[in-house]
Structures are given as C-alpha cells and as structure tokens.
Amino acid sequence: MLAALGYSTIGLFLLLTMTRRVSVLVALVLLPVLAALVGGFGDELGELVLEGLTTVAPTGIMIAFAVLYFSLMVDAGLFDPLIRGILRVVRNDPLRITVGTAVLTMCVALDGDGASTFLITVSALLPVYKRLGMSPLVLSGVVCLGAGVMNMIPWGGPTVRAMAALKLESSEVFTPVLPAMAFGIVWVLVASYLIGRRERRRLGMLDPRGHGLTEDRGGDDIVDEKAPQARPAAAGEGPGTLRIPAPVAPSARAWLTVFNLVLTIALVVGLILEVMPLPVLFVLGFAVAMLVNHPTWEQQQALLDKHAKSVVLVTTMIFAAGVLTGVLTGTKMIDSMAEALVSVIPDSLGGHLPVLVALTSMPLSLVFTPDAYYFGVLPVLGHTADGFGVPPAEVARAAILGQMTTGFPLSPLTASTFILVGMSGVQLGEHQRFIFRWAFATTLVMTVGALVTGAFSL
C-alpha cells in the first residue's frame, strides 16, 4: 500500500504540475500531506513535515543569500565585461550563444556542485538571453544538459553515492565510464547546436544595421517589435554594435569593480574547496558585498526591496520540496517504492540488469530522491545482479549514467532543480517538457558509449 501511495503521489504531482492544473508550490505541500493522511500518518504529520523542512533548511538559506549576492553583482555590472566578451565571440547569434552556454556550464560544473553551477552560469548568461530576446527555457535546458553530464565526476553526487552504497572504489565505478562520459559531452554540444539552430530560426540573426532581430524570409526583413533593440552605434563604433548600458554608480568606479571581482573569485574558490559550509560562505559573502557596494542603510534597504520577490519565489519552493521529501521519507514510502520496483524485475532480464538500470535511472530520478535511489534501490539492484553473475560495479556504472547525471536538473525532489528554474524565470513543468527528451537522449548516448567501450555488457 505504501509503495502504491508513494507512486500515486509522485505521478499525480507530475500530472498536475506539467498540465498546469496547480502551481508547483501548492502540489509540493498539499499532495504529500494528503498522502500522509490517507496512509494513516496523521498523528505524525507535523513531525514528518518539520523533519523535511529541517533537511532542506541549509539549502534554502544558501539559495536566499546566493540569489541576493549574484543579483547585487549583476546590478553592479560585474558580469558586463563577460557579457560583452560573449557577444563579441558569438556575434549575437543565438546558435553560438546556446553552444557557448553548454561549454561555459561544463567548465563551471567541474566543481561538482549543481547549486553553485546553476547560480554562477545563469547569473552570467541570463542578461545575454534577455538582451537578445532568447527563450529562458533554452538557457535552463542547455545548462541542465551540461551540468548533468559533468555531474559524473568522482566528487559529484551520483558517483560518491554509488561508491558508498556498494562499497566500491572510484577506479571501479568512474574510470570505466570515462569514455561514455566523453560520448555524453559530445552529445551535449550536438544537442545545444540543434537547440540553438532552432532558436536562431525563431529569432533570426541580429540585423547588422543594429535595428533589431530579423529573419530572412524571401528577402524581406521581419522585425520582432518585442525583441530587445540594439542602440545605434556611437561615433567610432562599428556598425551593428550592441551597446550594453554602463553600470550605475557606484559600480562605475574601477576599484569597486576590482573588489567585486576578487570577492567573487574568492567565493567561488571557497565553494570548490569547501572551506566552509556553502550557506555560511554565501551569508558572509553577501554581507561583505552589500556593505562595500551599498554602505548606507537606505541603499541596503533598496537592494533588499528590489530583489525580495526573487528570493521569496526560490526559497519557498525549496521549503515546499522539503515537505514532499519529508513525508515520503519519514513514512517509509520511498523504501516501499524501492522494494516494489526491484520485485517486478523478471528473472529473464537479470543478465541484462546494467542496461535496464541505465535506461530507467533517468526517469526514476523524477520519483526517487538521490539518497533514496542510491542507498535504497541501488544496493538491492547490486545484490540482485550479483545473483545473476553480473558484477555489482557494472550496475553502479549504469546507475550514474542517468540518476542524478541527467535527471537531477529535472527532478522536483532535488533542491538544485528549483535554483535552476527559479533563477531562469521558468516554470518547472515547462522546463521538464522542453528538455526531457534531450536529457533522456543523453542517457541513451552514454549507454551506447558504455556498451561500446565495455563499461558494462549487454
């Protein structure tokens, strides 16, 4: 009964949110509460919800101050040189911008932390997308693909969990799938090219005369009146130069820009080296940045007022997700769902278990939390594979190809997903519909790569 109730809760959540029947926040809170009441856990409901909220509290705190920090830096013009550089390289071409998004994401994602990857990448690139009128779904989708593949690194979430759950070494889990990971990286570049080409067709190239976005249709220029318009080039500038407005005071002062750059680099290095817990780093970083950039009380209040809406939208979603995970975990629904999943695998498929795990792990990321999958489902799958003469290490390799790797930026059970969609300004259901098939294709490509290179057998 618990397994059926858990699957029904997740299925109903996906149905209601993807069809826009209710908001994600409402579904995250009310559906698990309803499931707990139906399952007879009414007396424990308060404790279950509180436990879930406590679990996600550090993430919620980190996101609140991270959004404030990077919003401050965007306002201060810290990313304007990067934006100008990107625009010079990509030449206002949506296709090149999309591919550049994938490359930048995969570079930033080397720190192994999805949350910081989304915060840094979206903060830097969202202004570019807005200026050219590109869809924010393209941004969230391509970042999702790039971060997903890079999440396979040994210090990332899935590989660490797989090694711990099955008591394996990195050489047994990660090293054999390196070629498959290379397949995935190439596919992400191909996918971003295809997505970018479609976005280019939708928008057209920026008119070299600097008059806006146009599309060549039989020689006639069709101007998108809603698209951002480039300001006419000033004297001495080349034709069609897209001018980025100069940042407002006091960020125009060179010393302040240098200070912001040094502070941000120090913060990123601190995140990578984990010198302190992530929430602490962002709390301290934002406090210092606000004091230096906005030294008066009035300026500080104005900054908080300006970005309060963004903070509330993102953090409330994080805490609402805590209600769902708290109820599913505390009532043991997740454990029952794992047992039910393994029990339906027929004996005839036992020898093909690695391939089956690889193909199902990405969709299952929408149902299971990372911890539930790796510490609940994977050990049972590994034991089952061993009984069929399949090394458990092959099952671990298959699991990291989809679960968390391409599924975590889509799952409503992963807090960082709400960072990505919240900062990009898109709805979770729209994001899932837009990028799911591309993400699943990534898993398929890497599975083929793993089979070809011998990471696991068919």
Side-chain angles (χ1 to χ4, degrees):
M1 175 183 173
L2 285 179
L5 188 58
Y7 280 117
S8 299
T9 301
I10 297 297
L12 188 57
F13 171 83
L14 295 174
L15 175 65
L16 292 177
T17 55
M18 294 185 72
T19 57
R20 297 185 182 182
R21 299 293 182 183
V22 297
S23 71
V24 173
L25 189 147
V26 170
L28 284 171
V29 174
L30 296 186
L31 287 179
V33 169
L34 179 61
L37 294 175
V38 172
F41 297 96
D43 294 341
E44 307 171 38
L45 182 59
E47 182 179 345
L48 295 174
V49 172
L50 186 60
E51 180 66 27
L53 293 174
T54 303
T55 301
V56 301
T59 301
I61 295 169
M62 180 193 72
I63 299 311
F65 284 92
V67 169
L68 288 172
Y69 179 88
F70 285 108
S71 297
L72 186 156
M73 291 302 167
V74 169
D75 289 349
L78 178 64
F79 297 107
D80 282 358
L82 174 62
I83 296 169
R84 292 188 182 97
I86 293 175
L87 289 175
R88 281 196 297 267
V89 172
V90 302
R91 301 175 187 175
N92 305 326
D93 182 0
L95 188 155
R96 295 189 182 190
I97 291 174
T98 307
V99 175
T101 299
V103 173
L104 179 61
T105 300
M106 289 189 284
C107 290
V108 176
L110 285 171
D111 69 351
D113 181 71
S116 61
T117 298
F118 298 154
L119 288 166
I120 295 169
T121 307
V122 176
S123 295
L125 293 177
L126 186 59
V128 177
Y129 278 70
K130 286 183 175 180
R131 283 187 172 97
L132 296 184
M134 294 178 63
S135 170
L137 284 171
V138 173
L139 173 60
S140 65
V142 173
V143 170
C144 163
L145 295 179
V149 170
M150 297 307 295
N151 206 36
M152 291 177 64
I153 54 181
W155 52 92
T159 305
V160 169
R161 287 182 174 91
M163 292 188 297
L166 297 182
K167 298 178 176 60
L168 299 171
E169 301 293 329
S170 176
S171 59
E172 298 176 276
V173 178
F174 175 70
T175 305
V177 297
L178 264 174
M181 183 177 177
F183 275 69
I185 291 173
V186 172
W187 165 251
V188 168
L189 295 176
V190 172
S192 62
Y193 174 86
L194 296 174
I195 294 172
R197 187 175 64 178
R198 186 174 63 185
E199 187 71 357
R200 175 202 273 173
R201 286 199 300 266
R202 186 180 74 86
L203 293 174
M205 296 286 288
L206 190 68
D207 185 355
R209 296 186 299 271
H211 295 309
L213 295 173
T214 65
E215 185 175 356
D216 184 10
R217 298 179 180 175
D220 296 328
D221 286 343
I222 308 299
V223 180
D224 184 354
E225 299 295 342
K226 297 181 179 179
Q229 303 297 307
R231 188 168 63 78
E237 293 180 342
T241 301
L242 182 64
R243 293 296 305 276
I244 297 177
V248 297
S251 62
R253 291 173 291 180
W255 70 268
L256 189 56
T257 301
V258 172
F259 172 83
N260 288 336
L261 179 61
V262 171
L263 179 62
T264 301
I265 292 174
L267 179 60
V268 172
V269 171
L271 294 172
I272 296 173
L273 299 180
E274 297 184 0
V275 296
M276 290 183 183
L278 268 62
V280 176
L281 286 173
F282 275 113
V283 168
L284 295 177
F286 173 68
V288 172
M290 184 164 67
L291 179 63
V292 175
N293 286 268
H294 303 278
T296 68
W297 181 89
E298 291 79 9
Q299 292 174 341
Q300 293 170 4
Q301 287 300 115
L303 174 73
L304 295 174
D305 290 341
K306 179 179 180 181
H307 299 293
K309 180 180 178 181
S310 298
V311 173
V312 170
L313 288 175
V314 177
T315 54
T316 52
M317 207 68 71
I318 297 293
F319 286 108
V323 177
L324 177 64
T325 55
V327 170
L328 293 184
T329 302
T331 59
K332 305 298 183 182
M333 288 186 198
I334 286 288
D335 296 339
S336 299
M337 292 163 69
E339 294 173 4
L341 173 66
V342 175
S343 67
V344 300
I345 299 176
D347 293 343
S348 59
L349 294 178
H352 307 290
L353 200 55
V355 175
L356 182 63
V357 170
L359 296 179
T360 58
S361 57
M362 186 265 176
L364 288 177
S365 67
L366 301 176
V367 179
F368 292 100
T369 63
D371 288 337
Y373 183 85
Y374 282 103
F375 298 118
V377 177
L378 188 59
V380 181
L381 291 175
H383 181 74
T384 303
D386 192 41
F388 287 102
V390 178
E394 291 193 8
V395 176
R397 296 167 200 161
I400 67 174
L401 294 183
Q403 174 72 22
M404 281 290 284
T405 302
T406 51
F408 90 95
L410 287 167
S411 173
L413 302 178
T414 306
S416 58
T417 300
F418 295 101
I419 302 173
L420 176 60
V421 298
M423 294 194 67
S424 301
V426 301
Q427 296 294 321
L428 176 61
E430 294 177 338
H431 171 68
Q432 290 172 329
R433 287 194 300 272
F434 177 81
I435 206 63
F436 181 89
R437 62 184 182 276
W438 297 99
F440 189 60
T442 307
T443 296
L444 295 178
V445 169
M446 290 195 294
T447 300
V448 171
L451 289 170
V452 170
T453 58
F456 50 78
S457 57
L458 182 61

